Amino acid sequence: MAEHSFHLTATWPGGRNTVGSIEAGNLKTDISIPPEMNGPGIGTNPDEMLLGAASTCYIITLAAKLERANIEIEKMSLESEGIVEVDDKGVITYKSIIHRPYVKAEAELQKKIERYMEQSEQNCMISRALKGNVEIRLEKNFEAI
């Protein structure tokens, strides 16, 4: 069994509404609290990064499954939405992620592609890491050519 290690360095000057930075491989960006949570909204934030991790893992997994099945597509894209709840006590919970994959391909491939859309969510390592904590839903969109 192989293990892979990933590293991230974060800097934070102190205080809730300041701006820090992160660096991990090809990722280098400022970080701060989002404006929706009364922060400065500079760079990215944990909410966007979690959504980004789940979304990129999903679409890469789907692409790999389609490639392994020798399914040719004309176009593929993904829109994802993360829903964060703040209760009346100020407790913040990442409630759900909705993936809206879009694939354009030959009509006779629709059932196979939709099955791969579903399997990709179950097989994505980020989805598995979130399982039991964050609800993940699919809203599939297939267009026939």
Side-chain angles (χ1 to χ4, degrees):
M1 183 176 339
E3 285 190 0
H4 304 280
S5 187
F6 299 91
H7 301 274
L8 181 140
T9 301
T11 61
W12 192 262
R16 180 187 186 280
N17 284 325
T18 58
V19 177
S21 65
I22 58 169
E23 189 169 342
N26 292 317
L27 175 64
K28 184 175 182 175
T29 187
D30 289 336
I31 55 171
S32 70
I33 295 173
E36 297 87 351
M37 297 176 180
N38 300 315
I42 296 171
T44 191
N45 58 68
D47 310 287
E48 291 174 343
M49 289 191 298
L50 182 62
L51 182 61
S55 299
T56 54
C57 183
Y58 175 81
I59 199 163
I60 290 169
T61 302
L62 177 57
K65 285 185 171 296
L66 294 174
E67 182 179 283
R68 280 192 295 265
N70 294 313
I71 293 177
E72 296 209 11
I73 60 168
E74 184 173 301
K75 184 178 179 185
M76 180 169 63
S77 63
L78 176 67
E79 290 184 15
S80 295
E81 178 181 0
I83 299 171
V84 176
E85 176 183 81
V86 182
D87 72 12
D88 56 0
K89 295 178 179 146
V91 176
I92 303 168
T93 303
Y94 214 113
K95 286 190 66 166
S96 62
I97 292 173
I98 305 165
H99 290 311
R100 297 180 180 101
Y102 165 84
V103 175
K104 185 174 184 179
E106 297 290 332
E108 64 270 7
L109 296 172
Q110 181 172 357
K111 288 188 187 224
K112 277 186 177 180
I113 289 173
E114 288 183 347
R115 188 176 70 237
Y116 286 127
M117 287 176 171
E118 292 168 9
Q119 288 176 359
S120 295
E121 184 51 49
Q122 298 161 3
N123 298 145
C124 164
M125 72 174 180
I126 302 298
S127 297
R128 290 193 323 266
L130 296 173
K131 192 173 184 170
N133 293 307
V134 177
E135 175 192 16
I136 300 178
R137 298 190 319 257
L138 287 178
E139 294 177 4
K140 299 174 284 201
N141 186 2
F142 178 88
E143 181 180 353
I145 52 173

